[in-house]
Amino acid sequence: MISCIIIEDQAPAQRILQRYINDYGNIELKGVFTDAIQALEYLKSNKVDFMFLDVHLPKLSGIDFLDVLTDKPLVILTTAFSDYALKGYELEIVDYLLKPFSFDRFVKAVVKANKHLGLNSNIQSDKPEADTILIKSGYNHIKLIIDDILYIKSDGDYTILYTSEKSYIVTYSLRHWEQNLPDNKFCRVHRSYMVNIPAIEEVSGSIIVINDTDIPIGRKYKEDFRRLFTR
């Protein structure tokens, strides 16, 4: 079993990584640190195979941390800002996860780490192949990985499915998605919005942030959302 640590100061992002690590299997999480100084002290006397490292951290940034760290484990960078990718690759990281990222994308990063460690990537997970749905958007039929859907917005007679890369307009209601998407991940939060819980970056008052988009939480849906989000 490979070992890792998480260096991330945002609690929602910590929860997502911990959930993905648990779902993946074959990874032992040794610790979760909210700043690079804590992690530096830990790594002085402990060894791990790789670490999930956020770029924006208090006290010492993730990039500066890598500059001063000696005998470092493999690194998977996590950040919401794509402009750090080039600098990350200069520091020879294994992979670069742009928030919010799906479980499928997480698995690809861990498989890369396995390969660097000389492990057989076939042991990557006990989970079956990612679940998909087939949608019709315009004249095209498209297969989407369910976990890649960040949120869904109602727009009159249509709904818009948003992923990190693009959006799709389909002739289904939000009610349809409530009935056909996994209710342990997707939650109706407003009369016009449904969200993928693991994709949430931040919750502030009655606002959810996903992919730099503010999504309101309706009073009617607040209790159910809180229960699912904090479980």
Side-chain angles (χ1 to χ4, degrees):
M1 180 177 288
I2 58 178
S3 60
C4 75
I5 60 174
I6 294 170
I7 310 173
E8 168 63 66
D9 65 323
Q10 297 295 320
Q14 292 173 8
R15 285 196 293 267
I16 289 170
L17 282 168
Q18 289 173 296
R19 186 180 303 166
Y20 285 177
I21 288 168
N22 182 65
D23 288 346
Y24 183 92
N26 299 308
I27 304 176
E28 183 179 7
L29 178 60
K30 292 289 191 177
V32 179
F33 305 95
T34 57
D35 65 65
I37 303 301
Q38 294 175 351
L40 186 61
E41 289 301 311
Y42 176 83
L43 291 172
K44 284 180 180 178
S45 55
N46 298 275
K47 286 189 174 294
V48 294
D49 295 310
F50 69 100
M51 58 185 175
F52 294 97
L53 175 65
D54 186 23
V55 171
H56 289 277
L57 293 168
K59 301 179 183 178
L60 184 68
S61 75
I63 298 298
D64 291 338
F65 172 60
L66 292 180
D67 282 333
V68 302
L69 187 63
T70 59
D71 191 26
K72 56 178 170 278
L74 299 176
V75 180
I76 298 175
L77 275 186
T78 64
T79 182
F81 301 94
S82 59
D83 50 337
Y84 285 96
L86 179 60
K87 179 62 176 176
Y89 284 119
E90 289 173 358
L91 293 167
E92 299 181 347
I93 66 164
V94 171
D95 205 352
Y96 181 98
L97 293 177
L98 186 62
K99 299 176 182 177
F101 48 86
S102 67
F103 179 75
D104 183 65
R105 184 65 185 84
F106 168 89
V107 168
K108 290 177 182 178
V110 175
V111 169
K112 286 185 181 180
N114 279 337
K115 290 180 179 178
H116 278 266
L117 293 166
L119 300 175
N120 184 351
S121 63
N122 289 332
I123 65 171
Q124 63 186 33
S125 177
D126 295 328
K127 286 180 68 67
E129 190 173 327
D131 291 333
T132 60
I133 56 170
L134 187 66
I135 64 169
K136 186 175 185 296
S137 182
Y139 295 102
N140 301 318
H141 288 85
I142 301 161
K143 182 181 287 188
L144 284 182
I145 296 174
I146 290 176
D147 284 348
D148 285 348
I149 301 170
L150 304 179
Y151 63 95
I152 304 171
K153 179 181 179 181
S154 176
D155 186 9
D157 295 330
Y158 303 89
T159 48
I160 307 172
L161 279 62
Y162 289 87
T163 71
S164 59
E165 297 181 354
K166 62 186 302 185
S167 59
Y168 304 89
I169 301 175
V170 296
T171 55
Y172 289 123
S173 66
L174 277 184
R175 181 62 178 164
H176 168 86
W177 297 119
E178 283 185 281
Q179 294 172 343
N180 287 277
L181 289 176
D183 59 9
N184 63 329
K185 291 184 178 180
F186 287 85
C187 179
R188 182 82 171 262
V189 297
H190 187 272
R191 60 187 178 84
S192 298
Y193 287 95
M194 189 171 184
V195 301
N196 184 347
I197 296 294
I200 293 174
E201 300 166 21
E202 182 181 342
V203 178
S204 179
S206 294
I207 297 295
I208 295 166
V209 180
I210 298 180
N211 201 28
D212 293 327
T213 300
D214 291 348
I215 299 171
I217 305 172
R219 186 180 306 171
K220 173 182 176 181
Y221 305 94
K222 184 171 292 188
E223 185 176 343
D224 286 343
F225 166 72
R226 297 290 184 189
R227 184 167 56 251
L228 184 59
F229 182 64
T230 58
R231 68 179 183 179

